[in-house]
Amino acid sequence: MGAAAVLPTVGDALADAVARLAAAAVPEPRADAEVLLAHVLGTTRARLPLVDTVPDESLSEYDALIARRAAREPLQHLTGTAYFRHVELAVGPGVFVPRPETELLAGWAIEHAVEGSVVVDLCTGSGAVAKAIADEVPAATVHAVELDDAAYLWAERNLAGTGVDLREGDMATAFDDLAGTVDVLTCNPPYIPLDAWESVAPEARDHDPHLALFSGADGLDAIRVLEHRAALLLKPGGVVGFEHADVQGVSAPAVLSATGRWTDVRDHADLAGRARFTTARLAR
Ligand SMILES: C[S@@+](CC[C@H](N)C(=O)[O-])C[C@H]1O[C@@H](n2cnc3c(N)ncnc32)[C@H](O)[C@@H]1O
């Protein structure tokens, strides 16, 4: 009788995976290797040290996921889940993966939304910002719109049961019925200049929908549209907040300032000091 094959330990499986991800220049190889192993084993990252060995069938599943991550598929597409503030979102091909930096914009909106506020999230994608606001300010009425068919289906799934009024359509013409009634308007629009293609990480360039990323020669086309729409939808004194690229800390707020329709135009940096989002108040 032959000796039973020795199963690899969690430590061995992780060491091999980390080396493969690092060789593929994945930015956080250890964290990703641990998340994927926990996913395969049906446990959490924090509980991995309590597991001794990796069964054969899990090992082959893990091997396949590590190969896909090494080919720079986004981690969240492999687990099917993204976390955003206190909510969980289903994500996969066809929808922009919500980013941690957008939690700042959502936090700003949550601070400004009070009981009875009417909130609109343009370009909702997976529904991340709308879902976080509905979760943290349950007494607000939240509306969201998405143009892309595939992304809309993900938003529909993520916003089911949240009370958010989700619509499919173009932000340029959305919510005529709410004109002049909105208290807080958020948007994380596409904002990458078309010719910046080369500088975009493979996870985004090859897996996020291009409608979610690129917006004209200077990256500001969608921001110009949202400025127009926000001015129509907000009530006088209502506030708008929108994300932009770190190089747009001057040009993005200037889109608003140039119209003379806004007061308190401010740009906000993230914890690393990078310009991240603009806010303003519609003049009374
Ligand atoms: C950068 S993603 C942001 C998604 C989500 N708000 C988030 O923060 O994770 C931009 C989204 O805007 C959508 N979009 C682009 N142009 C649009 C338009 N004119 N009207 C509505 N949605 C649009 C894209 O399909 C994409 O889902």
Side-chain angles (χ1 to χ4, degrees):
M1 206 167 91
V6 180
L7 293 175
T9 64
V10 160
D12 291 342
L14 279 176
D16 176 64
V18 170
R20 287 165 66 194
L21 297 183
V26 169
E28 296 186 64
R30 172 149 290 273
D32 288 12
E34 289 179 3
V35 167
L36 289 173
L37 188 55
H39 174 71
V40 163
L41 295 174
T43 185
T44 62
R45 216 178 139 189
R47 296 183 77 83
L48 272 182
L50 305 177
V51 183
D52 293 329
T53 55
V54 184
D56 274 341
E57 62 280 11
S58 302
L59 196 63
S60 47
E61 192 187 340
Y62 188 48
D63 184 57
L65 288 177
I66 292 297
R68 289 171 63 188
R69 186 68 192 102
R72 308 297 294 269
E73 262 189 68
L75 180 70
Q76 297 85 348
H77 279 196
L78 301 179
T79 60
T81 307
Y83 297 94
F84 188 82
R85 290 184 70 94
H86 304 297
V87 300
E88 211 178 293
L89 299 139
V91 293
V95 72
F96 180 85
V97 174
R99 308 295 206 265
E101 53 266 33
T102 308
E103 292 178 330
L104 294 175
L105 171 66
W108 168 87
I110 285 160
E111 276 170 27
H112 285 78
V114 293
E115 193 175 332
S117 287
V118 177
V119 181
V120 162
D121 182 38
L122 302 176
C123 298
T124 202
S126 64
V129 175
K131 187 170 182 180
I133 297 170
D135 174 60
E136 293 183 55
V137 195
T141 307
V142 184
H143 306 264
V145 67
E146 170 57 46
L147 178 61
D148 181 75
D149 289 342
Y152 173 83
L153 291 175
W154 287 102
E156 190 173 49
R157 179 168 163 190
N158 287 319
L159 296 175
T162 62
V164 174
D165 163 34
L166 173 68
R167 306 191 196 174
E168 185 166 9
D170 190 333
M171 68 163 158
T173 52
F175 301 120
D176 272 345
D177 53 316
L178 298 179
T181 69
V182 175
D183 298 286
V184 181
L185 187 142
T186 57
C187 185
N188 178 15
Y191 50 66
I192 302 175
L194 285 171
D195 63 7
W197 163 269
E198 292 289 340
S199 67
V200 180
E203 282 87 348
R205 197 185 58 208
D206 302 338
H207 297 282
D208 281 326
H210 288 180
L211 183 64
L213 300 179
F214 299 101
S215 194
D218 61 2
L220 295 169
D221 280 4
I223 289 173
R224 294 187 187 95
V225 173
L226 96 84
E227 185 281 326
H228 248 83
R229 203 60 190 165
L232 184 128
L233 293 178
L234 287 168
K235 57 170 68 155
V239 288
V240 62
F242 63 90
E243 193 170 303
H244 56 67
D246 54 2
V247 295
Q248 294 166 342
V250 173
S251 57
V255 170
L256 274 65
S257 304
T259 67
R261 292 197 270 232
W262 303 92
T263 64
D264 305 339
V265 179
R266 272 191 63 199
D267 205 65
H268 304 251
D270 62 20
L271 290 175
R274 283 183 297 255
R276 184 50 63 197
F277 69 102
T278 299
T279 60
R281 188 174 291 283
L282 188 63
R284 290 177 193 276

